[in-house]
Amino acid sequence: MELLMFGLVLLQGISPCFGFPNGAPTSACDDMVPRHTGVQPQPTPAPYTILTSTRTLQTGQPITVTITGTNYRGVLLEARSAASASTNALGSWQLPPPDTKFLQCSGNKEGAITHANTNLKDDTTVFTWIPPNNTNTIYFMATVAQQRTVYWLNIRSGTLIKGSEGIGLATGGNPGMASNGFLLLLALCMLVSQMLPR
């Protein structure tokens, strides 16, 4: 009985070692699996969404990224090419927000963001990413853990496309609004020109 109790106490003591409370391991960079021993990802749709400040990429122009949904404790966040099946982490993240840190992925020291501890994070945790100059389309990919035993894989943002300088469209915007505005302005000009004396 004493041996059984000792075994249970020992197992309880080492079990946190099989989670990663201080961030995802670099071995998770490619497949985004957090390596929590004996735990499988949730089969249900993720209660999280990745939102971006724009739908267009401009070299060197920061893009803010937010994970919305219920509070979470663990995260692994990367940008990837939408033009290939590569799992390389692209671009670089700026100074990580509180309770998060950089994770070196694909040889890139600032290629991914992960949690630095298990403190709760929410949609006020805002990440900032800088696009590289040789990429035309990307998306953001995340693994999000509510706790060690409850996590979702492959949460994906919409695709961002390289755009012209000064043109960006925030996620949730309507690309048809710009052309509608032009047509309205054209119609207004035509109406005014008809009203002017000749």
Side-chain angles (χ1 to χ4, degrees), residues 70-144:
T70 58
N71 292 353
Y72 57 97
R73 296 184 184 277
V75 65
L76 175 56
L77 179 62
E78 299 177 16
R80 293 186 173 180
S81 171
S84 73
S86 171
T87 58
N88 287 345
L90 301 176
S92 59
W93 296 92
Q94 286 189 334
L95 184 66
D99 302 315
T100 67
K101 64 182 183 179
F102 294 124
L103 179 65
Q104 180 170 326
C105 287
S106 311
N108 181 350
K109 289 183 180 180
E110 298 168 356
I113 293 281
T114 188
H115 53 283
N117 53 50
T118 56
N119 293 348
L120 285 175
K121 296 141 192 82
D122 58 26
D123 57 10
T124 64
T125 304
V126 178
F127 308 95
T128 305
W129 180 78
I130 306 294
N133 61 4
N134 59 349
T135 302
N136 291 324
T137 58
I138 64 103
Y139 62 91
F140 294 98
M141 179 75 84
T143 293
V144 181

Side-chain angles (χ1 to χ4, degrees), residues 12-197:
Q12 183 69 26
I14 65 171
S15 64
C17 298
F18 296 108
F20 292 90
N22 298 321
T26 55
S27 60
C29 288
D30 290 337
D31 62 10
M32 306 291 284
V33 176
R35 311 292 190 264
H36 296 170
T37 304
V39 181
Q40 295 298 313
Q42 296 298 301
T44 57
Y48 300 101
T49 302
I50 301 174
L51 299 180
T52 59
S53 59
T54 181
R55 289 184 184 168
T56 59
L57 301 173
Q58 296 174 32
T59 302
Q61 293 297 312
I63 295 172
T64 58
V65 179
T66 308
I67 298 172
T68 63
T70 58
N71 292 353
Y72 57 97
R73 296 184 184 277
V75 65
L76 175 56
L77 179 62
E78 299 177 16
R80 293 186 173 180
S81 171
S84 73
S86 171
T87 58
N88 287 345
L90 301 176
S92 59
W93 296 92
Q94 286 189 334
L95 184 66
D99 302 315
T100 67
K101 64 182 183 179
F102 294 124
L103 179 65
Q104 180 170 326
C105 287
S106 311
N108 181 350
K109 289 183 180 180
E110 298 168 356
I113 293 281
T114 188
H115 53 283
N117 53 50
T118 56
N119 293 348
L120 285 175
K121 296 141 192 82
D122 58 26
D123 57 10
T124 64
T125 304
V126 178
F127 308 95
T128 305
W129 180 78
I130 306 294
N133 61 4
N134 59 349
T135 302
N136 291 324
T137 58
I138 64 103
Y139 62 91
F140 294 98
M141 179 75 84
T143 293
V144 181
Q146 281 184 352
Q147 54 187 324
R148 190 187 86 79
T149 58
V150 180
Y151 68 90
W152 284 266
L153 285 178
N154 302 324
I155 302 166
R156 184 175 166 158
S157 74
T159 300
L160 283 70
I161 300 170
K162 194 162 199 169
S164 301
E165 290 297 319
I167 297 176
L169 182 63
T171 298
N174 180 355
M177 289 172 68
S179 60
N180 290 345
F182 175 75
L183 291 176
L184 183 61
L185 181 61
L186 183 61
L188 185 60
C189 288
M190 289 176 63
L191 181 64
V192 168
S193 70
Q194 294 296 321
M195 295 172 57
L196 291 175

